[in-house]
């Protein structure tokens, strides 16, 4: 039997979050047997699994009442009350972050019907295409291994802006990887579940300058990969080729920035410093590249059979877009 409501992340924290229960067979059994019509919890029906990582799954889900598409992150959790309270507190902490390039968390609950313990279920908007979620890594591979100079600048500027905001509120995420940085349908970066893993570990937040510096350096390494198609070396004393040596004259504007950003001792101490020092690119070329990318993404976003990401907020207010 379905519970009547779900635990939305608005207002003051609730001491006893709603526990979703599946209808019919247990959700875990339904997923294992492929009977997706029975894999439901609360108002959501799981449509298909998008991917799987150690201890976490991403599922495409349909809100059956609203007809909107969402991503449900199913996270392994323990069933005891203390563990569940800590899980809710961690999710609530990072859900309060509010930035155009941080993917919002809309609700959180639990699915109790698994064979080997419950699952924490975190719900966010689905921002992908009919082919699934689009990541920077997927886009890089589709473009032959690297992105254009202006595309890389846009991605790094949006990431650094979001990270600077989160750090200013005491939340650190850790290293970023191209396979876990999402792009929405307009080509803008979205960082998902920012800071949640550290919050679940109850790790200290942004008080450590070393953690902040390492996160910024990981964004620089990601940028180097997107620019050159090769991964930056991180061993002590390692020498990375300048972008201009790897991709020609168009990479020359990045040489000084990458040299500093990848230096383990002299790298940028904050996301704000790295953002302020980002190379500038001709505004006309930026506009042309952005227009081409918008057209490409619009052509790719054919009807999914599910409603696209709604502009009407489910449990958070509509975010203003950041013009970079």
């Amino acid at each position: 039997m379905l519970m009547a409501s779900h635990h939305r992340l608005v207002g003051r924290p609730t001491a006893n979050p709603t526990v979703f229960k599946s209808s019919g067979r247990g959700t875990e059994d339904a997923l294992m047997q492929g009977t997706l019509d029975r894999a439901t919890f609360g108002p959501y029906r799981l449509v298909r699994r998008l991917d799987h990582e150690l201890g976490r799954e991403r599922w495409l889900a349909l809100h059956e009442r609203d007809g909107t598409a969402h991503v449900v992150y199913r996270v392994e959790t323990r069933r005891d009350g203390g563990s569940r309270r800590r899980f809710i507190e961690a999710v609530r902490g990072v859900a309060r972050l509010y930035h155009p390039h941080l993917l919002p968390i809309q609700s959180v609950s639990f699915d109790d019907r698994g064979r080997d313990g419950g699952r924490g279920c975190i719900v966010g908007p689905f921002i992908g295409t009919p082919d699934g979620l689009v990541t920077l890594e997927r886009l890089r591979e589709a473009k032959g291994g690297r992105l254009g100079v202006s595309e890389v600048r846009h991605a790094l500027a949006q990431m650094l802006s979001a990270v600077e905001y989160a750090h200013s509120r005491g939340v650190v995420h850790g290293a970023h990887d191209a396979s876990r940085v999402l792009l929405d349908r307009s080509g803008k970066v979205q960082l998902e579940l920012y800071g949640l893993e550290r919050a679940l570990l109850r790790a200290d937040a942004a008080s450590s300058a070393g953690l902040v510096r390492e996160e910024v350096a990981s964004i620089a390494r990601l940028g180097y990969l997107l620019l050159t198609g090769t991964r930056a070396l991180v061993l002590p004393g390692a020498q990375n080729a300048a972008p201009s040596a790897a991709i020609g004259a168009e990479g020359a504007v990045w040489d000084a920035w990458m040299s500093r950003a990848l230096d383990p001792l002299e790298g940028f101490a904050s996301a704000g410093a790295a953002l302020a020092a980002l190379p500038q690119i001709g505004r006309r070329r930026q506009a042309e590249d952005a227009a081409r990318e918008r057209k490409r993404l619009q052509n790719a976003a054919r009807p999914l059979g599910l409603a696209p990401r709604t502009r009407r907020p489910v449990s958070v207010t509509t975010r203003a877009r950041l013009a970079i």
Side-chain angles (χ1 to χ4, degrees), residues 183-242:
L183 296 173
D184 65 19
R185 297 184 189 103
S186 64
K188 290 183 170 59
V189 164
Q190 295 288 326
L191 303 181
E192 60 178 350
L193 303 184
Y194 186 93
L196 181 61
E197 290 183 11
R198 290 187 56 81
L200 290 173
L201 294 173
R202 309 187 81 177
D204 291 336
S207 57
S208 171
L211 291 174
V212 171
R213 187 183 292 268
E214 172 53 30
E215 182 168 357
V216 174
S218 77
I219 296 174
R221 292 194 294 270
L222 188 155
Y224 187 87
L225 172 65
L226 298 178
L227 270 176
T228 68
T230 59
R231 297 188 181 277
L233 301 174
V234 295
L235 298 175
Q239 296 293 320
N240 290 289

Side-chain angles (χ1 to χ4, degrees), residues 4-24:
S5 61
H6 63 282
H7 190 58
R8 295 189 176 186
L9 295 174
V10 293
R12 300 178 60 185
T14 303
N16 299 303
T18 301
V19 176
F20 290 165
K21 293 185 178 180
S22 58
S23 58

Side-chain angles (χ1 to χ4, degrees), residues 118 159 173 222 247:
M159 290 184 69
H173 179 79
L222 188 155
I247 62 175

Side-chain angles (χ1 to χ4, degrees), residues 262-290:
L262 296 174
D263 191 309
L265 298 178
E266 301 297 329
F268 293 107
S270 70
L275 179 59
L278 268 182
Q280 297 297 317
I281 305 170
R283 292 187 179 275
R284 180 176 179 180
R285 180 173 178 179
Q286 289 184 43
E288 291 173 350
D289 287 350

Side-chain angles (χ1 to χ4, degrees), residues 22-100:
S22 58
S23 58
R25 301 175 64 91
T27 299
E28 196 75 9
D29 292 342
L31 296 180
M32 293 178 67
Q33 297 181 19
T35 55
L36 289 177
D37 59 315
R38 297 178 179 177
T40 61
F41 70 99
Y44 299 100
R45 175 168 58 85
L46 302 183
V47 177
R48 70 174 186 267
R49 190 164 70 182
L50 298 169
D51 60 16
H52 177 269
E53 298 177 6
L54 182 63
R56 190 183 82 174
E57 300 173 348
R58 281 196 196 110
W59 283 81
L60 176 63
L62 175 68
H63 192 292
E64 296 190 301
R65 183 177 64 250
D66 297 342
T68 52
H70 301 264
V71 173
V72 175
Y73 303 88
R74 288 166 48 83
V75 182
E76 293 180 3
T77 57
R78 297 176 62 181
R79 290 185 175 180
D80 63 277
S83 295
R84 294 201 161 183
R85 282 192 296 273
R86 288 190 292 272
F87 183 83
I88 290 292
E89 289 170 1
V91 175
R92 279 190 172 276
V94 300
R96 291 190 178 98
L97 296 176
Y98 186 83
H99 188 277

